[in-house]
Amino acid sequence: MINVQLAFLTACLGDRSLDRIAHWAAGNGYDALEIAAWPGHSREHTANHLDVAHLDQRLVDETRALLALHGLGISAISYYDNNLHPDEAERHRVHEHLRACVRAAAELDVGCVGTFVGRDPGKTVSENQHIAARVLTPLTKYAAEHGVALAVENCPMPGWHPDGYPGNLAYSPELWDWMFELGFHLNYDPSHLVWLGIDPVTAISRYGDRIAHVQAKDTQVHHDRIDRYGVYGRATERVDPWDSGWWTYRVPGLGDIDWTRVVDALHVAGYSGAVAVEHEDPVWSGTEDRVLTGLRIARDTLRPMVRP
């Protein structure tokens, strides 16, 4: 068992207010929230549970009071979008909103903002790296000046690439080493490592000191389907850009990850942040009741191993 807070990313309850989410979380065994803070015009999400673009002292005080009322903390303020978007105007909008998230985190004494590196899908990895050195380093410096870590989730984001290839250049340890040089930290999510063939426990043992935040999501591999699609997933049969055809994200406990080993590795590494459930399980989605059931399943899986 490790002494960290159990949280969940609020994006799975995008239609609920932060007040209602906090009330439910406190009554159902959660210690904290990873607060989704996408802008209202986002192409990715409508989940905006903290209006960072219009944050003032009143909103800061109201947010503090709400969480205190329910005995909850904030594990991170998160906005996962493409920081290397090929359209420079859109990239500027993404960066400005990310800076607003950083300022909000500083005002609320939250040490972490969750984000992506992203990618220009029309350019090679090397070309993207050259762009990143120029346009992303100012973001990490801005965060550091505010006492905030920009923690990048290691999600490949295949839906951002026209052929389902990685759309977020932070999916492997090779790229982690590079993004650390830019000043980013790691938002470790083992679910992505599973289908990439990377051992989640080995990744922790080698990079545990660079983990600023942990997301808990599981992956179910359908071994009978990989013989048809291969590791790159559906090609001509990919109607949904996010559907590989041979693996599915699940809530913790319903996939292939050995959470006892993962939590043990985090303990050995000395991790002291939060573990935040990211609910993207299609089986337990579709209605609010199903989403809440999924969050309860995740809680029941992780609570025996995680305590505040």
Side-chain angles (χ1 to χ4, degrees):
M1 180 175 283
I2 56 175
N3 296 101
V4 300
Q5 291 183 319
L6 182 61
F8 66 85
L9 175 60
T10 63
C12 63
L13 293 169
D15 293 335
R16 274 201 177 201
S17 67
L18 185 60
D19 190 356
R20 290 185 65 213
I21 292 172
H23 178 80
W24 186 91
N28 284 273
Y30 281 93
D31 312 309
L33 297 173
E34 180 184 354
I35 299 181
W38 274 263
H41 59 78
S42 173
R43 63 197 175 92
E44 292 300 322
H45 257 296
T46 58
N48 183 355
H49 293 123
L50 183 65
D51 188 2
V52 298
H54 300 95
L55 192 76
D56 55 18
Q57 192 58 51
R58 178 189 60 79
L59 182 55
V60 169
D61 292 343
E62 288 178 355
T63 303
R64 286 183 183 276
L66 171 64
L67 295 172
L69 174 65
H70 295 290
L72 296 172
I74 304 175
S75 71
I77 294 172
S78 293
Y79 167 51
Y80 300 98
D81 211 326
N82 190 351
N83 282 301
L84 291 176
H85 197 284
D87 182 276
E88 290 196 15
E90 177 62 21
R91 185 194 305 162
H92 176 75
R93 286 192 289 270
V94 171
H95 291 186
E96 285 304 298
H97 191 76
L98 188 61
R99 287 189 176 92
C101 289
V102 167
R103 294 192 296 272
E107 288 289 338
L108 290 165
D109 298 318
V110 178
C112 183
V113 166
T115 189
F116 286 145
V117 169
R119 178 180 189 165
D120 180 341
K123 298 184 184 299
T124 66
V125 171
S126 178
E127 289 169 337
N128 273 274
Q129 288 178 316
H130 285 297
I131 296 170
R134 173 173 56 86
V135 305
L136 299 189
T137 303
L139 290 176
T140 59
K141 288 182 177 179
Y142 185 83
E145 290 168 358
H146 286 77
V148 174
L150 283 183
V152 172
E153 183 188 350
N154 54 289
C155 178
M157 295 301 288
W160 281 355
H161 193 283
D163 290 317
Y165 302 142
N168 174 37
L169 297 182
Y171 57 88
S172 68
E174 176 188 20
L175 291 165
W176 298 351
D177 286 329
W178 163 71
M179 74 180 192
F180 295 150
E181 293 176 1
L182 298 180
F184 289 104
H185 301 256
L186 179 61
N187 187 354
Y188 169 84
D189 184 335
S191 66
H192 311 299
L193 301 177
V194 170
W195 65 266
L196 288 170
I198 300 168
D199 178 30
V201 173
T202 299
I204 295 172
S205 66
R206 293 178 179 171
Y207 293 92
D209 63 335
R210 308 308 293 267
I211 298 174
H213 191 260
V214 170
Q215 285 189 325
K217 187 162 74 262
D218 216 326
T219 297
Q220 180 181 8
V221 174
H222 309 288
H223 295 280
D224 59 318
R225 302 180 195 170
I226 196 171
D227 290 333
R228 175 168 179 78
Y229 299 118
V231 295
Y232 296 110
R234 299 179 193 265
T236 60
E237 299 176 9
R238 190 185 292 240
V239 177
D240 181 345
W242 302 100
D243 182 12
S244 73
W246 66 271
W247 54 265
T248 306
Y249 290 134
R250 305 300 309 274
V251 292
L254 297 181
D256 297 342
I257 293 175
D258 185 335
W259 288 99
T260 301
R261 291 184 65 233
V262 167
V263 171
D264 179 65
L266 290 170
H267 174 69
V268 171
Y271 178 69
S272 58
V275 173
V277 173
E278 185 182 23
H279 185 342
E280 294 181 337
D281 187 328
V283 177
W284 292 106
S285 296
T287 67
E288 185 175 277
D289 285 345
R290 295 183 72 79
V291 170
L292 296 178
T293 298
L295 289 172
R296 293 187 189 99
I297 293 169
R299 174 205 63 198
D300 292 345
T301 299
L302 297 170
R303 179 50 78 194
M305 296 173 272
V306 174
R307 68 182 179 189

